[in-house]
């Protein structure tokens, strides 16, 4: 399995862009004390990583586990994209296996893009017709990435007209201190508002005076300018 994972890493390496290799560590905040501290980048863009993932989507989970242990961000992303591709074509038993594996690896799903490109397609999809208990467990974790997985996974539910959990999680995490969570919650509220603006306005009427400005700004991004200004004033 280790050799298979190394071969995949080599395939990914064929797409290295030296300019991206210089740019990405700063973009993903890998400096000391930043949220991505210590993360390392080969310099491969997502579409190329996705190409490799699609070629190896049928690899055993042990191969993905090896890739998730990689120091290279793109290798971890490749493993997650492989899981998403596998999940799409799996039966219920295999989906449960992928879901459980994914939740066992959250310490390695350790940057916002890794979460955003995988959580809706695995956690959100799996929980569409099931108890959402795991979302609240993740939201209560001390690990930032668990918390972001909980929120971003609701994207799939929102697209299916189910707004219960994003409203509940938004209330629970309303005063979260981290900017990445404030942005994630605001983003999901905005997605809900695209489908039910009245419901979003009701939520904002209740919380706009106390929610972080970043969260509010993300939530109202699609509102008309005057309406945005009015909420920001408040």
């Amino acid at each position: 399995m280790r050799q298979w994972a190394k071969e995949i890493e080599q395939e990914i390496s064929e797409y290295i862009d030296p300019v991206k290799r210089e740019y990405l560590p700063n973009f993903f905040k890998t400096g000391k004390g930043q949220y991505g501290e210590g993360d390392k980048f080969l310099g491969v863009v997502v579409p190329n990583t996705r190409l490799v993932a699609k070629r190896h989507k049928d690899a055993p989970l042990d191969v993905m586990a090896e890739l998730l242990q990689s120091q290279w961000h793109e290798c971890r992303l490749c493993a997650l994209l492989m899981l998403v591709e596998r999940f799409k074509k799996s039966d219920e038993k295999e989906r449960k296996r992928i879901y459980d594996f994914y939740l066992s690896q959250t310490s390695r799903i350790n940057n916002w893009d890794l979460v955003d490109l995988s959580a809706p397609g695995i956690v959100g999809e799996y929980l569409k017709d099931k108890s959402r208990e795991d979302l609240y467990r993740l939201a209560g974790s001390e690990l930032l990435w668990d918390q972001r997985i909980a929120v971003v996974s609701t994207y799939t539910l929102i697209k299916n007209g189910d707004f219960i959990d994003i409203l509940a999680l938004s209330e629970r995490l309303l005063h979260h201190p981290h900017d990445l969570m404030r942005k994630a919650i605001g983003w999901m509220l905005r997605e809900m508002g695209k489908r039910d603006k009245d419901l979003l306005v009701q939520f904002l009427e209740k919380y706009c005076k106390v929610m972080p400005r970043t969260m509010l700004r993300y939530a109202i991004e699609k509102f008309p300018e005057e309406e945005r200004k009015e909420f920001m004033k408040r």
Side-chain angles (χ1 to χ4, degrees), residues 97-186:
R97 185 164 167 254
I98 293 169
Y99 174 80
D100 289 342
F101 173 75
Y102 183 90
L103 292 186
S104 76
Q105 301 291 317
T106 58
S107 65
R108 303 301 297 160
I109 308 171
N110 53 357
N111 217 312
W112 59 264
D113 65 317
L114 303 181
V115 171
D116 297 359
L117 291 170
S118 61
I122 296 175
V123 179
E125 283 291 334
Y126 185 74
L127 294 180
K128 278 195 303 189
D129 58 352
K130 298 176 180 65
S131 165
R132 313 289 162 72
E133 183 180 348
D134 280 340
L135 293 183
Y136 298 91
R137 178 182 60 78
L138 290 164
S141 167
E142 294 183 358
L143 183 64
L144 174 66
W145 309 116
D146 280 351
Q147 296 168 349
R148 188 163 174 115
I149 287 169
V151 170
V152 176
S153 293
T154 66
Y155 189 29
T156 306
L157 310 178
I158 291 165
K159 288 193 291 185
N160 283 272
D162 185 344
F163 310 134
I164 294 171
D165 297 294
I166 187 52
L167 290 170
L169 289 170
S170 296
E171 288 182 330
R172 180 175 294 200
L173 300 169
L174 191 70
H175 301 293
H176 199 288
H178 204 291
D179 200 48
L180 282 179
M181 288 302 296
R182 295 174 176 185
K183 290 177 178 178
I185 294 165

Side-chain angles (χ1 to χ4, degrees), residues 17-113:
D17 179 337
V19 174
K20 292 293 184 183
R21 191 164 190 166
E22 290 294 317
Y23 168 77
L24 291 174
N26 182 59
F27 182 75
F28 284 102
K29 309 297 183 187
T30 62
K32 187 171 178 59
Q34 295 181 305
Y35 61 74
E37 181 177 352
D39 206 353
K40 295 184 178 181
F41 288 81
L42 291 166
V44 180
V45 296
V46 172
N48 290 333
T49 305
R50 198 181 294 279
L51 287 175
V52 178
K54 286 183 176 180
R55 288 199 290 265
H56 294 278
K57 64 181 182 294
D58 295 322
L61 293 187
D62 287 348
V63 173
M64 299 169 198
E66 287 284 342
L67 287 169
L68 283 167
Q69 293 306 309
S70 175
Q71 65 176 328
W72 299 113
H73 185 100
E74 292 91 341
C75 289
R76 301 198 304 282
L77 176 58
C78 187
L80 295 168
L81 294 174
M82 290 161 69
L83 284 171
V84 172
E85 288 297 319
R86 172 85 69 85
F87 190 91
K88 290 176 185 176
K89 301 183 182 302
S90 295
D91 60 21
E92 187 63 19
K93 183 179 179 181
E94 180 67 5
R95 286 185 168 204
K96 176 69 162 63
R97 185 164 167 254
I98 293 169
Y99 174 80
D100 289 342
F101 173 75
Y102 183 90
L103 292 186
S104 76
Q105 301 291 317
T106 58
S107 65
R108 303 301 297 160
I109 308 171
N110 53 357
N111 217 312
W112 59 264
D113 65 317

